[in-house]
Amino acid sequence: MSWHPSDDPVLGDPLSCDALELVIVPRTRDLGDGFEVRRALPHGKRQMVGPFIFFDHFGPVQFMSGKGMDVRPHPHIGLATVTYLFDGSIMHRDSEGNIREIQPGAMNLMTAGRGIAHSERTPDVQRASGQKMLGLQSWIALPAASEEIAPSFQHYAAADLPTVQDNGFTARVIAGSAFGETSPVAMVSPWFYTEVTAQAGIRVPLDPDHEERAIYVVDGEIEIAGDRYEGPRLLIFRPGDRITVNTTRPTRMMFLGGDALEGPRHLWWNFVSSSKERIEQAKQDWKTGRFSHVPDEHEFIPLPE
């Protein structure tokens, strides 16, 4: 999805749990037709959690008949995008010729590497009938040695991802390893991403083995070390501490993180790179039409001036 400029996220609740490094309240922006986006990353005090450099929460929104989402073709470099839906469908098309309808619970990982363009639109059937949409889009910054790899796209249906059910909660392992299960998704650096849904009054552990970890509370409310946090919130934890999440209401949350990259990244529009010069090159490549064309598309998002 194209990066829509919006206000920076803001700090959230006071930090009284020693294991918590930062609490971020995502800022909300209405993109029109009631379509809201909440941005949690990047933040002024924290650029990344593991390789997660961008985290947007879009919806919920109810599109009426004839309406839908239309993100025209736009470019990416130096990152991988993860589009994950709870409700609704999105038709993905990219310049590598991949065409896939993204549905709830599926894993869709588009690795831009040296450069890819894609569009995201409401499928024709859902546009005709109207649909509710709720989901997340994350960007995974690539290690410096992998920033220029060939672009690619992976899709795994919800049924193909490992699911754990235990004591009132369900966890779907979208990427990496969690709760003793490992996703089939191929990655170029260690990171993890897991959807957890839990009833009220349930205890859920957060694996201490990952170098950097966070929990994004989509909806509901959790308690950690006596402090309560309701969604939407991004809670970033210090390394190594054992964390137990207690749900005080029915809750949906994402566990995420991974190994820290070797250094910070430059981020401009839809481009991520360890090199400012590479971003300048990408700007010119898009402006002059050197990115490959997205099949069946006849428009694009111009380079911001």
Side-chain angles (χ1 to χ4, degrees):
M1 189 173 294
S2 180
W3 178 29
H4 301 283
S6 68
D7 294 331
D8 288 337
V10 296
L11 293 181
D13 310 278
L15 305 182
S16 53
C17 170
D18 289 340
L20 266 172
E21 181 177 318
L22 197 63
V23 179
I24 295 172
V25 181
R27 279 284 180 89
T28 301
R29 184 184 183 207
D30 192 329
L31 300 181
D33 292 327
F35 190 59
E36 292 186 341
V37 172
R38 298 174 176 87
R39 179 156 305 146
L41 289 175
H43 184 272
K45 292 192 174 182
R46 186 68 180 250
Q47 185 185 43
M48 288 182 277
V49 177
F52 283 80
I53 195 169
F54 180 92
F55 198 97
D56 262 10
H57 170 184
F58 54 90
V61 61
Q62 176 65 55
F63 288 116
M64 304 305 291
S65 176
K67 299 289 186 179
M69 184 179 79
D70 284 295
V71 181
R72 294 167 291 159
H74 57 279
H76 292 285
I77 65 163
L79 57 86
T81 66
V82 181
T83 302
Y84 190 77
L85 298 178
F86 305 114
D87 289 302
S89 296
I90 295 174
M91 184 62 72
H92 164 98
R93 290 185 174 87
D94 67 46
S95 53
E96 292 296 298
N98 298 295
I99 301 174
R100 174 68 67 169
E101 183 174 334
I102 301 173
Q103 296 179 329
M107 166 53 156
N108 300 271
L109 181 69
M110 185 186 74
T111 301
R114 60 177 176 256
I116 198 169
H118 74 137
S119 65
E120 295 157 298
R121 300 183 185 271
T122 298
D124 292 341
V125 172
Q126 289 84 350
R127 188 184 299 271
S129 60
Q131 70 166 346
K132 181 180 179 182
M133 181 169 288
L134 174 64
L136 303 169
Q137 174 136 128
S138 307
W139 294 358
I140 310 299
L142 300 178
S146 301
E147 286 182 318
E148 297 298 318
I149 60 176
S152 62
F153 182 77
Q154 297 179 68
H155 171 87
Y156 289 89
D160 297 329
L161 299 174
T163 301
V164 176
Q165 292 184 313
D166 184 30
N167 298 324
F169 78 87
T170 299
R172 176 177 288 121
V173 184
I174 303 163
S177 299
F179 300 102
E181 298 287 346
T182 300
S183 165
V185 174
M187 301 178 294
V188 296
S189 68
W191 54 279
F192 74 101
Y193 198 29
T194 302
E195 178 192 3
V196 178
T197 55
Q199 304 168 12
I202 301 300
R203 295 166 60 87
V204 185
L206 177 62
D207 191 339
D209 295 337
H210 301 288
E211 182 179 357
E212 296 188 354
R213 304 164 297 162
I215 294 175
Y216 185 78
V217 182
V218 180
D219 48 48
E221 183 183 68
I222 63 174
E223 180 182 85
I224 300 174
D227 294 317
R228 293 192 175 192
Y229 307 93
E230 65 177 0
R233 293 285 190 283
L234 179 66
L235 313 180
I236 302 175
F237 297 89
R238 296 187 173 90
D241 293 297
R242 292 189 174 275
I243 304 297
T244 299
V245 178
N246 301 291
T247 57
T248 56
R249 300 202 302 258
T251 298
R252 173 163 40 196
M253 51 191 163
M254 310 300 289
F255 288 7
L256 61 114
D259 290 1
L261 295 184
E262 69 287 339
R265 291 294 183 269
H266 302 287
L267 172 62
W268 189 89
W269 193 37
N270 303 313
F271 304 138
V272 171
S273 180
S274 56
S275 164
K276 286 185 177 179
E277 292 74 19
R278 181 66 180 91
I279 287 181
E280 291 303 316
Q281 178 189 332
K283 289 181 185 180
Q284 290 304 310
D285 288 346
W286 184 248
K287 192 172 184 177
T288 58
R290 288 198 289 266
F291 275 80
S292 297
H293 181 72
V294 179
D296 301 321
E297 289 282 5
H298 305 286
E299 53 184 352
F300 63 94
I301 299 176
L303 187 78
E305 298 292 347

